[in-house]
Amino acid sequence: MEDNLTPQETNDSNRIISINIEEQMKTAYIDYSMSVIVGRALPDVRDGLKPVHRRILFAMNELGITHNKPYKKSARIVGEVLGKYHPHGDTAVYDTMVRMAQEWSMRHTLIDGQGNFGSQDGDGPAAMRYTEVRLQRFAESMLEDIEKETVDFTLNFDDSLEEPTVLPTRIPQLLVNGSTGIAVGMATNMLPHNLGEVVDGCIAYIDNREITIDDLMKHVKAPDFPTGGIIWGIDGIRQAMNTGRGRVVLRGKVHVDTKPSGREQIIITEVPYQVNRDALCDKIGSLVIDKTIEGIAHVNNESNQKEGTRIVIDLKRDAVANVVINQLYKFTELQTSYGINNVALVKGRPRTLNLKELIHEFVEFRHEVVVRRAQYELREAQRKAHILQGYLIALDHLDEVIALIRSSATPDIARENLVNAGWGLDEIQAKAILELRLQRLTGMEREKIKEEYDELMKLIASLQELLGNEGLRYDLIKKELTEVKDRFATPRRSEITYLADEMNILDFIAEEDVVITISHLGYIKRTSATEYRAQRRGGRGAIGGKTRDEDYIEHIFVASTHHTMIFFTEKGRCYWLKVYEIPEGEKNSKGRAIQNLMQLPPDDKVRAIIDVANLDDKEFVQSHYIVLCTKKGIIKKTLLEDFSRPRQTGVNAITIVEGDQLLDARMTDGNSEIMMAVKSGRAIRFPEEKVRPTGRGAIGVGGIEVDEDNDEVIGMICVGKDDTSKTVLVVSEKGFGKRTPIDEYRITNRGGKGVKTINVTDKTGPLVGILDVTEKEDLMISCRSGLTIRTGISNIREAGRATQGVKLISLQEGDEIAAITKLDEFEQEAPVTEASADAEPNEIPNSTDEPTGSGENPSTETGTEQ
């Protein structure tokens, strides 16, 4: 048609109305799009349901298929919904019903299904003629009070029946189960949340209408997915809570197991929401074939309905589990992001809503339901009380009433006679009296009628009070919400991980002292320091870690969970790790392979550890140094600031020459005296100023002369020049040790041979450790067999440099000391009273069973090793 034609222009011969096609298409498309938006794709903000969901639940309720009734065939329900309320395809209705019964699709399922409803692996459900359904209790709470005129009804598609426009839900269903839909020109993607958190948020809003969204987020923290997972970062969620649009990143939950053969496995126990487990396994397999991910030997989906998700990934022997996990997050759906788009129908119009608006709309709808329910119950109570009042009048004039009825020719005449008898009865009461059963004329029944009438009058009074008092109505809403929470709320399934730039994670970590152990084969763990009991010198110790036959505890030290550990490897590399990131384990557990926590090469191993309270403290890092020493006697000093910028791949700390290894590291303030000891029993003491500061890549200078044959440096200590409280503790391989005043070691230049520090004999074995200690500290000794012993330093007597010392621990045949460390004293719950039968004759026994004192700050010293 031509554009210049008007809608009124008519062809009389053909009776064709000429219209503008552009206007017609625009109008028709708007009508179509609004039909899709309102009638199909978007949920109502009040009950959180689309029409098809609402019609299925209403139809099942009308059929009486509740949670305590037998299951009915799904085909029967689908037919009921199609024939009465939803004239669309049966597949659309059945697919909707199936989803409402799938535990991995809905945070709280609305339908209780029996039969095959598909799986998380992408398997489809059985045909509707095979499956059976009934309502869940959860859904029944959404339909409760629907018969009390709480919501509006509308005619169905053929005007033969009525259906509800919304369900009078007691549950904030839209937030709890979320919704997804694609309309015309708009879409919605609302994620599920935890019911308990949402109820707490609604109650907080009722208590304070001016509450901020940040305060609401203290209750409704983040989405909570039915399949669990780990929410990675909160910024996108915070944006969605404030604006209605945002993004959430979800990771699957994994852990690393070690098989008896020593090879590691990555076990996936939770996958992100709506991720197909079989498809995930296929994707991993294709990435392995393409060599995008290396280190995976085999992938197997061992998931089942009873035990849930379990995907096992076998690693190759040289693979680093932590690296493979990060690759899985990067290249597969093990990490998935979801766009949040909170679009819902408000009064029939689509709107984007933030968290507070969603809660506001539900609370106001719930208030409307409570008012309408109270009005209905008041009307019903008044109607019933009115009839009971008529009964009581009739019973008061029983003989006259009976005579009047007997004398009336017809029921209509009898009703008129009762109304006109002068007893104050109306038409409704007269009709009820005529329908009264004779048994209610007994004396007992009269008392029951009177009691029932009194109860109804109390109910009427309370309902009138409720309708007249808004505060009471909102208190009732809070009470009913709390009941919903108590009945249906479950613990949060999705963990929340805050990223480093979003918040201070230390606020969520309890600060305590922990003992950190690293084994010879590189297994690390942290254990609460209170698990290690104090023992007398010479005791036989306790198991400090399960190890393989060829493994033993090599490093043992104490640090606070809020501190940062700087690790130095034998090849001169430096790595960082927060103490709270070290896996927690029991005292006798093996721990976790350190390669899974840091990107440590397989041919390198940790040799020394420095504990730093705060690497962000500029003044501290610019006034302290890291002193490094090697087995060949090289010493090097570098400003701590050079190690204050952590890198995941590590940095070079010292250049190691061929045939040498980094041995130890200490942190100093620049004004210390350095002592180095060698295995043959010699030690040297020289001022720190003799070692000038150099950069991270430097080689260092000579610290002590080492014989080329079989001697090597076994440790280093750094002591303040004015610190007179400390003594030098040395320990030999076969459990002998002693303390010697520092002054007995004369100050020399670096690079010399040093002086004797212990008399090395076949009985003592070579020197294995040197520490600077005070009498208020404890000594912890770790053996190659896994035994550990903790004893007070004050129990170890002082002796001269040339003596062999006293026995500190009774070793089993073939066992040797592997590492020693000092611990600041702190209270112990159960001190041990065991003393060794092998103690030296001249040792002085401890006079008390109590540990030797208490303190709070952890030692910054590391253990030493042979």
Side-chain angles (χ1 to χ4, degrees):
M1 294 292 173
E2 302 235 353
D3 287 347
N4 58 359
L5 291 177
T6 63
Q8 291 78 25
E9 194 171 349
T10 306
N11 185 326
D12 292 333
S13 60
N14 296 321
R15 304 298 297 168
I16 296 175
I17 300 174
S18 300
I19 61 169
N20 186 317
I21 192 167
E22 181 182 339
E23 291 296 326
Q24 175 63 21
M25 290 194 65
K26 187 183 296 182
T27 303
Y29 193 75
I30 289 174
D31 290 344
Y32 164 71
S33 65
M34 287 307 297
S35 173
V36 173
I37 289 168
V38 176
R40 191 186 306 174
L42 297 186
D44 193 294
V45 73
R46 296 168 293 177
D47 63 0
L49 298 175
K50 301 176 188 177
V52 64
H53 299 90
R54 191 178 300 116
R55 287 164 175 166
I56 291 170
L57 298 179
F58 178 68
M60 292 178 71
N61 189 61
E62 289 293 286
L63 290 172
I65 311 174
T66 53
H67 77 277
N68 53 358
K69 300 291 175 59
Y71 292 92
K72 298 294 182 185
K73 285 288 183 183
S74 298
R76 180 175 176 182
I77 315 301
V78 171
E80 181 82 3
V81 174
L82 290 180
K84 290 184 176 180
Y85 310 112
H86 198 72
H88 297 278
D90 60 337
T91 304
V93 176
Y94 184 54
D95 286 350
T96 301
M97 185 187 299
V98 164
R99 187 175 183 277
M100 288 196 288
Q102 291 175 336
E103 293 181 353
W104 59 93
S105 295
M106 306 285 283
R107 184 60 181 83
H108 289 270
T109 55
L110 303 177
I111 287 176
D112 179 9
Q114 182 170 266
N116 175 15
F117 280 84
S119 76
Q120 208 174 333
D121 297 322
D123 302 319
M128 68 178 82
R129 61 184 178 274
Y130 299 117
T131 60
E132 297 179 336
V133 293
R134 63 184 178 188
L135 286 174
Q136 290 275 24
R137 287 176 183 265
F138 189 83
E140 289 173 23
S141 292
M142 299 183 63
L143 290 151
E144 203 167 337
D145 302 324
I146 195 169
E147 74 283 356
K148 294 182 179 179
E149 300 177 8
T150 49
V151 293
D152 293 330
F153 278 68
T154 185
L155 293 171
N156 69 340
F157 61 89
D158 62 359
D159 293 351
S160 61
L161 296 166
E162 286 192 332
E163 61 174 309
T165 57
V166 67
L167 298 187
T169 176
R170 295 188 175 204
I171 296 166
Q173 208 278 145
L174 185 57
L175 272 167
V176 171
N177 274 325
S179 184
T180 303
I182 300 173
V184 178
M186 63 181 62
T188 184
N189 192 37
M190 305 185 68
L191 301 182
H193 293 77
N194 184 271
L195 175 60
E197 292 179 3
V198 174
V199 167
D200 289 342
C202 292
I203 292 173
Y205 171 77
I206 292 171
D207 290 337
N208 175 20
R209 299 304 179 90
E210 304 302 320
I211 190 171
T212 64
I213 291 177
D214 285 343
D215 287 336
L216 278 175
M217 284 187 67
K218 294 177 182 176
H219 304 284
V220 188
K221 300 177 178 64
D224 186 25
F225 297 94
T227 53
I230 300 169
I231 293 171
W232 195 250
I234 203 76
D235 276 351
I237 296 169
R238 186 176 287 113
Q239 182 182 356
M241 296 292 194
N242 280 275
T243 67
R245 293 177 182 270
R247 178 173 170 270
V248 57
V249 177
L250 189 68
R251 287 182 165 187
K253 188 176 289 186
V254 302
H255 67 269
V256 179
D257 281 350
T258 304
K259 296 198 291 187
S261 63
R263 294 175 66 172
E264 290 184 324
Q265 293 178 317
I266 296 172
I267 312 294
I268 302 173
T269 54
E270 293 176 5
V271 298
Y273 184 49
Q274 295 175 334
V275 167
N276 184 318
R277 294 180 300 208
D278 277 347
L280 176 63
C281 293
D282 292 343
K283 177 67 173 177
I284 294 171
S286 65
L287 290 170
V288 172
I289 293 171
D290 296 343
K291 298 191 181 299
T292 304
I293 297 179
E294 295 184 351
I296 293 178
H298 185 257
V299 182
N300 188 31
N301 183 7
E302 299 178 3
S303 308
N304 57 55
Q305 197 165 3
K306 184 178 179 181
E307 297 179 4
T309 299
R310 180 178 169 86
I311 297 173
V312 179
I313 301 172
D314 292 320
L315 299 183
K316 296 178 180 176
R317 189 168 297 278
D318 59 344
V320 179
N322 203 40
V323 173
V324 175
I325 290 170
N326 286 330
Q327 289 178 321
L328 290 173
Y329 285 144
K330 181 176 180 180
F331 296 114
T332 74
E333 285 188 308
L334 193 60
Q335 175 174 305
T336 307
S337 63
Y338 303 86
I340 302 173
N341 189 22
N342 295 336
V343 178
L345 296 174
V346 181
K347 296 181 174 59
R349 292 177 175 271
R351 269 183 59 194
T352 301
L353 302 148
N354 61 32
L355 175 63
K356 186 175 180 179
E357 289 167 339
L358 286 167
I359 290 176
H360 164 78
E361 293 295 338
F362 170 75
V363 169
E364 291 310 304
F365 169 64
R366 191 65 202 151
H367 180 260
E368 180 188 341
V369 169
V370 167
V371 170
R372 292 180 63 162
R373 182 182 64 192
Q375 290 171 341
Y376 173 84
E377 290 175 345
L378 179 60
R379 288 195 301 272
E380 289 296 302
Q382 288 172 335
R383 182 187 62 79
K384 196 169 183 180
H386 184 61
I387 292 173
L388 291 176
Q389 190 178 26
Y391 288 170
L392 291 173
I393 293 172
L395 290 170
D396 287 341
H397 304 84
L398 185 57
D399 294 338
E400 296 95 319
V401 168
I402 292 173
L404 189 149
I405 293 172
R406 290 186 65 185
S407 63
S408 300
T410 65
D412 290 340
I413 295 172
R415 188 173 68 248
E416 290 178 11
N417 290 340
L418 286 172
V419 172
N420 298 325
W423 298 322
L425 297 172
D426 59 18
E427 290 275 343
I428 296 172
Q429 290 171 324
K431 183 180 179 182
I433 290 168
L434 289 172
E435 294 172 353
L436 191 66
R437 297 174 65 183
L438 288 176
Q439 73 175 30
R440 305 211 68 178
L441 302 179
T442 61
M444 290 286 290
E445 285 296 317
R446 188 187 191 286
E447 288 302 315
K448 287 182 180 179
I449 291 171
K450 183 70 170 67
E451 289 175 8
E452 189 178 355
Y453 178 76
D454 292 341
E455 288 298 321
L456 279 172
M457 295 311 293
K458 290 179 183 177
L459 176 61
I460 288 168
S462 67
L463 289 170
Q464 287 173 337
E465 183 183 10
L466 181 68
L467 288 168
N469 188 326
E470 187 179 76
L472 284 178
R473 296 197 293 273
Y474 281 109
D475 286 342
L476 179 60
I477 293 170
K478 285 161 56 177
K479 178 186 174 187
E480 291 178 349
L481 282 171
T482 303
E483 290 172 356
V484 164
K485 177 183 174 181
D486 293 340
R487 287 182 67 190
F488 301 115
T490 56
R492 166 173 278 279
R493 294 179 187 173
S494 298
E495 296 179 11
I496 302 171
T497 298
Y498 297 89
L499 303 185
D501 57 345
E502 293 178 338
M503 60 174 302
N504 185 5
I505 191 65
L506 296 181
D507 294 340
F508 293 83
I509 304 295
E511 185 166 11
E512 63 170 336
D513 287 341
V514 291
V515 176
I516 299 170
T517 59
I518 302 178
S519 74
H520 177 70
L521 292 181
Y523 288 90
I524 186 171
K525 71 173 186 292
R526 63 179 167 96
T527 308
S528 177
T530 55
E531 285 200 29
Y532 289 87
R533 307 171 299 172
Q535 291 187 316
R536 288 185 177 183
R537 174 175 62 80
R540 294 194 178 274
I543 294 295
K546 283 186 179 177
T547 59
R548 300 186 215 164
D549 292 340
E550 70 274 17
D551 201 6
Y552 54 88
I553 301 299
E554 192 169 66
H555 300 277
I556 183 167
F557 56 95
V558 177
S560 164
T561 49
H562 282 201
H563 289 189
T564 300
M565 310 309 301
I566 306 179
F567 295 82
F568 296 91
T569 70
E570 63 182 24
K571 291 190 173 183
R573 296 284 291 175
C574 170
Y575 298 86
W576 295 261
L577 198 62
K578 297 284 188 183
V579 172
Y580 64 78
E581 294 174 338
I582 298 172
E584 192 170 8
E586 296 179 354
K587 187 172 64 174
N588 59 353
S589 64
K590 184 175 68 173
R592 177 92 171 270
I594 201 167
Q595 283 92 347
N596 291 332
L597 304 177
M598 303 181 297
Q599 294 187 13
L600 194 66
D603 59 344
D604 203 358
K605 65 180 294 185
V606 171
R607 284 295 182 185
I609 306 100
I610 295 292
D611 172 21
V612 182
N614 185 7
L615 280 175
D616 296 327
D617 186 340
K618 294 295 183 184
E619 183 178 347
F620 184 85
V621 298
Q622 290 175 0
S623 61
H624 285 73
Y625 299 87
I626 298 295
V627 177
L628 306 171
C629 76
T630 72
K631 284 191 174 183
K632 295 299 184 183
I634 299 297
I635 192 159
K636 174 176 178 286
K637 184 169 75 170
T638 304
L639 198 63
L640 177 60
E641 186 179 24
D642 289 358
F643 300 101
S644 65
R645 290 172 290 278
R647 293 185 196 168
Q648 196 171 6
T649 55
V651 297
N652 274 331
I654 182 174
T655 299
I656 300 294
V657 298
E658 187 176 354
D660 200 0
Q661 290 180 354
L662 177 66
L663 172 70
D664 213 345
R666 290 288 185 270
M667 185 168 63
T668 72
D669 60 2
N671 297 306
S672 300
E673 290 177 346
I674 298 173
M675 286 189 65
M676 300 173 69
V678 293
K679 188 163 66 172
S680 60
R682 292 182 289 110
I684 191 171
R685 175 189 178 195
F686 56 87
E688 185 180 340
E689 291 88 348
K690 297 291 184 180
V691 185
R692 64 180 181 86
T694 55
R696 286 191 288 103
I699 296 176
V701 294
I704 187 171
E705 186 177 321
V706 178
D707 294 336
E708 291 294 333
D709 297 334
N710 58 356
D711 209 1
E712 62 185 30
V713 176
I714 54 87
M716 168 185 68
I717 60 174
C718 298
V719 183
K721 291 180 179 178
D722 301 326
D723 193 348
T724 58
S725 63
K726 292 194 173 182
T727 52
V728 177
L729 171 69
V730 290
V731 178
S732 71
E733 188 177 68
K734 295 186 178 179
F736 287 81
K738 63 173 180 177
R739 290 189 296 133
T740 305
I742 293 178
D743 291 341
E744 290 200 17
Y745 299 86
R746 69 177 186 271
I747 297 177
T748 64
N749 282 326
R750 62 172 177 80
K753 283 185 172 290
V755 296
K756 181 178 284 190
T757 184
I758 190 172
N759 188 25
V760 173
T761 65
D762 292 339
K763 182 179 179 181
T764 64
L767 193 62
V768 295
I770 180 171
L771 294 174
D772 55 308
V773 297
T774 68
E775 292 196 352
K776 290 186 177 181
E777 294 171 325
D778 286 352
L779 174 67
M780 188 173 287
I781 302 172
S782 175
C783 303
R784 293 180 186 271
S785 62
L787 288 173
T788 61
I789 183 171
R790 175 177 174 170
T791 186
I793 296 292
S794 58
N795 294 340
I796 305 170
R797 63 181 175 85
E798 293 187 13
R801 286 190 296 105
T803 60
Q804 70 177 16
V806 295
K807 182 168 282 191
L808 304 179
I809 183 171
S810 298
L811 299 174
Q812 297 175 356
E813 185 69 29
D815 200 4
E816 297 173 348
I817 289 180
I820 63 171
T821 190
K822 63 180 183 180
L823 287 76
D824 282 359
E825 54 179 352
F826 46 82
E827 293 183 2
Q828 296 295 314
E829 296 178 359
V832 173
T833 58
E834 177 188 357
S836 170
D838 298 328
E840 291 295 311
N842 60 349
E843 79 181 47
I844 302 173
N846 194 5
S847 60
T848 176
D849 293 335
E850 292 298 321
T852 57
S854 67
E856 295 185 0
N857 294 326
S859 167
T860 59
E861 301 295 341
T862 72
T864 60
E865 48 80 37
Q866 184 180 1

